[in-house]
Amino acid sequence: MLTAGLLAMGCGGVEPGMDEQAALDTREDAQLFCTQEAFDIVYYSDATLTTPVGHFYCECFETAWSFGRKTQFKVVEYSRQCQ
């Protein structure tokens, strides 16, 4: 009985509700402060580079921003040193 009860309850804590998960999927987190560099990187779901799933952006002397998630499949849109 105890085993059946534990299996019915699941393990690992409470799953996030639909609203909570949606908020995590779309949140924007402030990252590091950009100093002597600027770049724009788009992350994709797979090697076909057709479905973007994340973005990392840094502009000279501003706050870096990251959206979505980082993967191994990325395209650097631009990268340069700041004056």
Side-chain angles (χ1 to χ4, degrees), residues 28-73:
E28 300 172 6
D29 292 333
Q31 302 293 319
L32 301 174
F33 184 76
C34 306
T35 55
Q36 298 284 332
E37 61 185 332
F39 54 85
D40 188 13
I41 302 171
V42 178
Y43 295 91
Y44 293 88
S45 61
D46 57 38
T48 63
L49 305 178
T50 55
T51 306
V53 295
H55 198 109
F56 190 67
Y57 172 80
C58 197
E59 192 55 53
C60 301
F61 309 105
E62 294 182 11
T63 302
W65 286 91
S66 178
F67 306 89
R69 61 186 173 96
K70 293 180 182 179
T71 68
Q72 64 181 338
F73 310 106

